[in-house]
Amino acid sequence: MKVTLAAGDALLVADVQNDFLPGGSLAVPGGDEIVPVLNRYIGFFHARGLPILATRDWHPPNHCSFLLQGGPWPPHCIAETAGAAFSPVLELPSDTSIVSKATAQEKEAYSGFEGTELNTLLRSSGTRRLFIGGLTAEYCVLSTVKDALRYHYATFVLKDAIRAIHPNSNLGQALEEMKRLGAVPVDFESLAA
Ligand SMILES: [Zn+2]
């Protein structure tokens, strides 16, 4: 199946931040491998004047998801730190809409829609179809895909540009769940020139 991009399409890059990449505090195995692939998508959407959005975990230093606060994760993506910065090799255009999530101490948010202006941004840009890739497949990508479907966006998951924190057990399972819910898996070759 070839997908032809048109007005109403937008690209969402989820959480491609240093702490989720090899060397980071919550590194996703092979997370760096998707960055060049995402750059191809970014170039493709940008060349067509289509909106590009990027979500980021943007936590306070004592966020409830951190181990010391009783959460499941080591500290990661603390706002304004190098670990929270987007990968330096991710080629986000200057007009990318940046959406910060889980910014309050007591609230976790895996979905880019949760407690953010993401839905408003998409509505105001006339987005009807959303293409989602990034990290991690079984948490933030899955949750964002679920919410995108709940908000009635036609939702495509970039299966060549996602990675799971537990790749052996969770990547295939996450993809299956996204498909079951109605998301359409695509890869870069699926996009019609
Ligand atoms: Zn987080």
Side-chain angles (χ1 to χ4, degrees), residues 57-66 69 75-79 101-107:
D57 249 4
W58 202 247
H59 297 318
N62 59 347
H63 190 247
C64 62
S65 73
F66 298 168
Q69 275 68 39
H76 63 277
C77 299
I78 294 171
K101 64 186 169 67
T103 58
Q105 192 273 329
E106 72 282 4
K107 278 253 203 280

Side-chain angles (χ1 to χ4, degrees), residues 1-178:
M1 182 196 67
K2 283 280 184 186
V3 177
T4 303
L5 296 187
D9 293 343
L11 175 65
L12 177 64
V13 178
D15 298 12
V16 182
Q17 296 168 264
N18 290 326
D19 272 342
F20 294 131
L21 298 170
S25 67
L26 187 45
V28 177
D32 52 332
E33 295 164 9
I34 66 169
V35 180
V37 186
L38 284 166
N39 285 339
R40 294 179 74 190
Y41 283 104
I42 289 167
F44 203 84
F45 277 72
H46 191 58
R48 286 156 182 78
L50 298 169
I52 296 166
L53 305 98
T55 60
R56 62 183 182 186
D57 249 4
W58 202 247
H59 297 318
N62 59 347
H63 190 247
C64 62
S65 73
F66 298 168
L67 292 167
L68 270 179
Q69 275 68 39
W73 308 117
H76 63 277
C77 299
I78 294 171
E80 312 292 351
T81 64
F86 291 119
S87 161
V89 287
L90 184 67
E91 294 165 356
L92 291 173
S94 57
D95 59 352
T96 300
S97 298
I98 311 286
V99 174
S100 302
K101 64 186 169 67
T103 58
Q105 192 273 329
E106 72 282 4
K107 278 253 203 280
E108 175 62 308
Y110 289 140
S111 164
F113 286 92
E114 206 177 329
T116 71
E117 70 282 21
L118 178 57
N119 196 38
T120 306
L121 283 168
L122 292 170
R123 293 275 183 246
S124 65
S125 65
T127 297
R128 293 180 298 276
R129 299 199 303 179
L130 194 54
F131 295 73
I132 302 174
L135 304 169
T136 62
E138 74 270 58
Y139 291 102
C140 293
V141 172
L142 175 60
S143 299
T144 303
V145 163
K146 280 184 181 172
D147 276 347
L149 290 163
R150 203 158 57 79
Y151 286 118
H152 303 294
Y153 295 97
T155 304
F156 296 81
V157 56
L158 311 179
K159 64 178 187 211
D160 53 352
I162 57 173
R163 287 290 186 278
I165 188 95
H166 301 116
N168 296 328
S169 53
N170 291 354
L171 182 58
Q173 211 178 314
L175 251 183
E176 280 313 307
E177 186 171 359
M178 290 188 259

